[in-house]
Amino acid sequence: MPLAGLRRATRESVSGLPREFWWLWTSTLVNRLGAFVATFMALYLTLDRGYSATYAGLVASLHGLGGVASSLGAGVMTDRLGRRPTLLIAQASTAASVALLGFVHDPVAIAAVAFLVGMTSNASRPAVQAMMADIVRPEDRVRAFSLNYWAINLGFAVSSMGAGFIAEFSYLAGFLIEAGMTALCAVVVFLKLPESRPQRTSAEAGAKDDVRLGTVLRDGRFMGVVGLSFLVSVIFQQGSVGLPVAMGEAGFTPADYGMAIAVNGVLIVALQIPVTRFIEHRDPRRLLVVSSVLAGYGFGLTAFAGSVGLFAVTVCVWTLAEIVNAPTQTGLVVRLSPVHGRGRYQGMYTLSWAVAALVAPLMSGFIIDRFGAEWLWGVCAVIGTVAAVGYHVLMHNLPAEKPTPVTTPAVPEAEVSTA
């Protein structure tokens, strides 16, 4: 593409989004620049502490169990308490618990603090996604979610390459860096982001609790999406739980894994914006089917990898699935959510990822220990096929996008003008 055309495409991709979105985007980027624990926990436990793959899987699952415990509660907090307070509580608590994790050595204490880290870190997701849906117009949401996912992976690409070498020097330094960056995110939220929760009309105020968790559970189509999201999430989780353990057992170093997995972030940084322009107005059912197949068989190809270069090639395949799946599925969740129940719906959607984070490490540790890594990659291919069929069957006659009603931020006027 000519340079002028590239500049025009970039300008069109980032224009028209509100200022609050960019502060939220900045907070996401800073957070991911300090990412360490989720990526290198398995290597920390198996190589630095000498525990088995099964124990590493157990700790990672407890990390996921913490996310399960907080997902629905954070969704309710997002609707009742507000997006901004929920973000502040979640990020401050995450910074403290991650720092603590670097100093505990007893296996029971490590497991307990890992649970706490999972609970606090996952609590911010419903608030971030609900706030983004509040402040961005319906026609711009897929683009906004894509740009946010781009920020996640820009930070991930940088942190993966750096953290691999930090891990060889000091795992504690990695924990402290992540704690500091998360605390910085809380500062950005406190200083720059006003509350975005939509205000109710006088008629809606009388039906204050019309959207409850039971309402979400009875929404058959949405719960079907949540179930399929869980299957796809189990596959993607293997990039941080199954892949590092398999590479470690095959004799590769943390730096090798860091370089291989960094391809994921680099590709997303390079391709997320142009791919989003291509998929923005296309059929989400077809996109989700294709991305599920690519995810399953991308990890399936890992069974044939025997060098860092070949591992990187397999990462390329399932990264294409991520690029398509992430903004499409997040936009679909907003599309299926009532305006005043976005926190609860996003909490249930976040729960699918949290449960996957609980199940995937147990699954990968058990399969690798009992049968070998090749079987794990074959199971991923099967799961991807099942998810693709499910999306094809489920996604008929989608409802139209729901616009967010005009709101006044629920913070003092002076604070909003300062922000």
Side-chain angles (χ1 to χ4, degrees), residues 294-354:
L294 283 176
Y297 286 89
F299 276 99
L301 290 173
T302 310
F304 304 99
S307 66
V308 175
L310 289 177
F311 277 113
V313 170
T314 66
V315 171
C316 290
V317 177
W318 56 261
T319 295
L320 291 175
E322 272 196 278
I323 290 172
V324 174
N325 180 272
T328 304
Q329 186 149 262
T330 309
L332 176 63
V333 170
V334 174
R335 194 168 177 175
L336 296 175
S337 306
V339 171
H340 295 292
R342 281 176 179 156
R344 289 172 172 84
Y345 272 71
Q346 291 290 350
M348 186 63 71
Y349 171 61
T350 301
L351 182 65
S352 68
W353 284 84

Side-chain angles (χ1 to χ4, degrees), residues 93 117 131 142 147 226 340 343:
S93 302
V117 171
M131 180 176 278
V142 170
L147 287 168
V226 169
H340 295 292

Side-chain angles (χ1 to χ4, degrees), residues 8-359:
R8 183 173 61 254
T10 302
R11 185 170 58 252
E12 291 174 355
S13 297
V14 302
S15 64
L17 296 171
R19 178 182 56 181
E20 292 82 1
F21 166 80
W22 290 111
W23 282 118
L24 191 59
W25 182 91
T26 300
S27 175
T28 299
L29 177 61
V30 172
N31 194 354
R32 293 306 298 175
L33 283 171
F36 182 87
V37 172
T39 304
F40 285 91
M41 175 64 78
L43 292 174
Y44 169 65
L45 294 175
T46 55
L47 298 184
D48 189 67
R49 293 294 172 189
Y51 294 113
S52 67
T54 299
Y55 175 77
L58 173 63
V59 172
S61 292
L62 286 172
H63 182 276
L65 181 61
V68 172
S70 68
S71 295
L72 297 181
V76 174
M77 283 178 60
T78 297
D79 281 339
R80 290 189 175 181
L81 187 61
R83 281 62 158 146
R84 184 173 181 265
T86 302
L87 272 176
L88 287 171
I89 293 170
Q91 291 177 342
S93 302
T94 301
S97 57
V98 166
L100 177 62
L101 185 60
F103 290 98
V104 295
H105 302 290
D106 180 78
V108 176
I110 290 173
V113 178
F115 172 83
L116 182 62
V117 171
M119 185 170 64
T120 56
S121 61
N122 199 64
S124 63
R125 290 185 179 181
V128 169
Q129 292 166 346
M131 180 176 278
M132 204 167 294
D134 294 339
I135 63 182
V136 176
R137 297 177 301 177
E139 60 269 25
D140 293 330
R141 282 177 187 153
V142 170
R143 180 161 57 98
F145 287 130
S146 180
L147 287 168
N148 190 65
Y149 196 67
W150 184 76
I152 290 172
N153 287 278
L154 175 61
F156 180 74
V158 175
S159 66
S160 293
M161 290 184 286
F165 295 100
I166 292 174
E168 294 188 344
F169 169 72
S170 170
Y171 281 93
L172 176 60
F175 289 119
L176 294 179
I177 289 171
E178 176 162 350
M181 298 293 269
T182 306
L184 182 58
C185 291
V187 172
V188 171
V189 171
F190 180 76
L191 295 177
K192 296 297 184 180
L193 283 174
E195 179 57 65
S196 68
R197 181 176 51 176
Q199 287 187 338
R200 294 175 177 272
T201 64
S202 56
E204 291 170 333
K208 187 175 182 179
D209 295 322
D210 54 337
V211 179
R212 299 175 181 269
L213 287 178
T215 308
V216 184
L217 292 171
R218 289 190 295 271
D219 190 334
R221 187 200 293 268
F222 178 79
M223 291 305 299
V225 169
V226 169
L228 295 173
S229 171
F230 164 76
L231 293 180
V232 175
S233 302
V234 167
I235 299 173
F236 286 132
Q237 286 288 331
Q238 301 309 322
S240 60
V241 293
L243 185 59
V245 172
M247 290 185 70
E249 290 196 346
F252 294 96
T253 68
D256 292 332
Y257 168 69
M259 294 302 293
I261 198 65
V263 172
N264 171 260
V266 170
L267 274 183
I268 292 176
V269 169
L271 299 180
Q272 187 73 64
I273 292 177
V275 170
T276 298
R277 288 174 57 81
F278 177 74
I279 69 173
E280 190 170 4
H281 301 295
R282 295 183 182 273
D283 180 11
R285 179 176 65 169
R286 182 175 300 176
L287 296 174
L288 290 170
V289 168
V290 171
S291 64
S292 299
V293 171
L294 283 176
Y297 286 89
F299 276 99
L301 290 173
T302 310
F304 304 99
S307 66
V308 175
L310 289 177
F311 277 113
V313 170
T314 66
V315 171
C316 290
V317 177
W318 56 261
T319 295
L320 291 175
E322 272 196 278
I323 290 172
V324 174
N325 180 272
T328 304
Q329 186 149 262
T330 309
L332 176 63
V333 170
V334 174
R335 194 168 177 175
L336 296 175
S337 306
V339 171
H340 295 292
R342 281 176 179 156
R344 289 172 172 84
Y345 272 71
Q346 291 290 350
M348 186 63 71
Y349 171 61
T350 301
L351 182 65
S352 68
W353 284 84
V355 174
L358 171 65
V359 171

